[in-house]
Amino acid sequence: TLARRAHADPLAYFRPTPPQLAFLSSNHPIRLLRAGNQLGKTWAGLADCIYRCLGSHPYTLVKAAPIEAWVVVVSWEQSLSVQAKLWQLLPKDSIDPDCEYTPGRGFRGRTPVVRFRNGSVLRIRTVNQGALALAGSTIDYVLIDEPPPEEIWSELAARVLRQRGRIAITLTPIGLPLGWLKKLVEEQVVQDLHFPLTVENTTPIGGRPLLTREDIEKLEGQVLPQERAQRIHGEWD
C-alpha cells in the first residue's frame, strides 16, 4: 500500500536536504543553487517546478495555476535523464490522462510536454535548439539545469518578463565560462545559494545521510584535480 501511494504521489514523501530546503523556501525572482555533483540539485529544481505547476507549494507562496513552465537542459541526452526524474516525482493523479511517458524515450511530443489537469503546461526544451527556438514565448517559470550559454540566458530572461515570472538555476559551475553569471550574483541580481558536497548537505531533514564521508572522499579521488573545487565544492573556479 505504501509503495502504491509513493508511486501515485511521490512529492508527499519527498524530504529535502538543507540545501534543497534553502532553495525551495526562497522567493527571490532569480535563484541559483550552486553546488557540487550528487547534491540533489536537479531533484530540488524539478520538485519546485512541479509545485508551481500545481499552484500549491509547501515552502513558499506561488502564482495560482494554470501556468506555463519550462525546464531547459543542455542536450537531448540530458533531457531523457531529467524527464525520467520528472516522471518519478510527478503526482500521477495531477497530470492529464493523455500525458504519456515512455521509459528511455521520454514524454510524448516533438517538444516533450507535461500537461496537468489544472491547465498548467510544463515543456522540456534544450539549449541545442538555440536561442531562436526559444524566442517569441511568454512563460511564468523556467528552470535551467546546468550552465547555459549567455545568449540562452538573455533569451530566457526576456521570456519571463511580461508575466513577472521566476527563474531558477541548478548547476555545478563547470563546462562553460560563467563570468557573466558570477557578475549577476555580485550585482545581487541573482541570489546565490552555494553549498559544498558534505555529509550534512546530503542528509534529508529527519532522515539518514545519502552519502558517507568515505563516498565523498572516493569521489574526490576520482575527479580530475583541476576540477575538484568545482565538482566537489561547487566553486566558481
Side-chain angles (χ1 to χ4, degrees), residues 120-190:
S120 289
V121 175
L122 174 56
R123 304 183 193 277
I124 294 88
R125 312 298 296 265
T126 67
V127 166
N128 289 347
Q129 292 175 296
L132 287 178
L134 306 178
S137 299
T138 299
I139 57 177
D140 300 283
Y141 182 78
V142 60
L143 166 65
I144 307 170
D145 190 57
E146 296 305 338
E150 188 172 2
E151 64 272 16
I152 296 294
W153 166 264
S154 296
E155 188 60 53
L156 292 172
R159 296 308 102 219
V160 301
L161 179 63
R162 184 181 300 175
Q163 297 286 62
R164 294 176 176 81
R166 304 298 175 109
I167 299 176
I169 316 161
T170 55
L171 60 77
T172 297
I174 196 164
L176 286 175
L178 289 175
W180 60 271
L181 181 56
K182 186 178 180 182
K183 183 179 179 182
L184 289 176
V185 167
E186 292 169 348
E187 294 172 348
Q188 299 184 353
V189 174
V190 175

